[in-house]
């Protein structure tokens, strides 16, 4: 009886570790998605203020920036990150993007190709669809 109980407990622990790994994987990916989108929105907003001055475009990037923050904070908190760690990651990404763009509007278009669709789609649709995407990737990698 003790052996059976021991096997059951070990089996549950083993299953729980796999589940925790999947959750951690998904949360890390979601945090990265929302961090990149937030940095993209902030960078795009600044460059558009300099070059474009189209208030509708600037407004869309401000909205994107505001829409990504709660999700970014949620996933960062779930990962056990402090506010300072989250801000540090955001600043790192923003500096990377600003360095790449270097206030050049044509380079901003290259950033648009990489991030625009992803960022507007994950903030305008149910973000749980994106979580499902990452769960499927996890399952494929761990088969």
């Amino acid at each position: 009886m003790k052996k059976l109980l021991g096997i059951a407990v070990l089996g549950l622990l083993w299953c729980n570790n796999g589940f925790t790994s999947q959750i951690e994987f998904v949360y890390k990916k979601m945090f990265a998605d929302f961090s990149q989108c937030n940095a993209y929105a902030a960078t795009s907003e600044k460059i558009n203020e300099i070059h474009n001055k189209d208030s509708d475009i600037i407004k869309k990037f401000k909205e994107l920036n505001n829409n990504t923050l709660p999700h970014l904070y949620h996933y960062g908190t779930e990962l056990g990150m402090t506010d300072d760690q989250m801000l540090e990651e955001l600043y790192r990404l923003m500096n990377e993007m600003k360095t790449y763009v270097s206030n050049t509007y044509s380079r901003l278009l290259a950033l648009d190709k990489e991030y625009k669709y992803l960022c507007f789609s994950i903030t305008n649709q149910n973000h749980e669809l994106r979580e499902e995407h990452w769960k499927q990737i996890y399952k494929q990698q761990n088969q």
Side-chain angles (χ1 to χ4, degrees):
M1 188 67 170
K2 287 182 183 181
K3 285 183 182 180
L4 184 61
L5 182 60
I7 291 170
V9 168
L10 286 175
L12 288 172
L13 287 173
W14 180 70
C15 289
N16 188 32
N17 285 341
F19 186 67
T20 302
S21 298
Q22 180 185 23
I23 290 173
E24 187 175 346
F25 174 84
V26 170
Y27 283 2
K28 282 180 180 180
K29 294 296 188 179
M30 293 297 290
F31 179 79
D33 283 347
F34 283 110
S35 297
Q36 289 170 349
C37 289
N38 189 275
Y40 162 72
T43 303
S44 297
E45 180 185 335
K46 297 274 188 246
I47 302 301
N48 275 295
E49 285 174 351
I50 294 168
H51 292 283
N52 199 350
K53 309 236 190 282
D54 183 340
S55 61
D56 288 338
I57 291 174
I58 294 168
K59 183 180 174 187
K60 283 182 184 178
F61 283 114
K62 281 184 181 182
E63 286 174 10
L64 176 62
N65 197 338
N66 291 334
N67 290 338
T68 57
L69 280 174
H71 299 295
L72 183 151
Y73 186 76
H74 166 74
Y75 291 108
T77 303
E78 290 294 323
L79 289 168
M81 296 175 76
T82 64
D83 291 354
D84 288 341
Q85 289 171 320
M86 288 184 248
L87 281 173
E88 185 179 312
E89 178 63 10
L90 274 179
Y91 290 141
R92 184 190 67 74
L93 287 168
M94 280 189 264
N95 286 332
E96 254 179 40
M97 288 183 189
K98 285 178 186 174
T99 301
Y100 171 75
V101 172
S102 65
N103 292 336
T104 307
Y105 192 70
S106 61
R107 285 199 176 161
L108 179 63
L109 298 177
L111 267 187
D112 280 349
K113 285 183 182 179
E114 188 169 347
Y115 294 104
K116 190 174 190 174
Y117 175 75
L118 167 70
C119 294
F120 281 103
S121 67
I122 66 171
T123 55
N124 291 334
Q125 72 182 9
N126 190 339
H127 68 276
E128 281 131 7
L129 291 174
R130 187 70 177 171
E131 279 188 21
E132 275 305 311
H133 164 77
W134 287 120
K135 285 177 186 175
Q136 293 304 316
I137 299 291
Y138 180 84
K139 287 177 185 174
Q140 289 171 0
Q141 291 178 353
N142 291 289
Q143 285 182 343

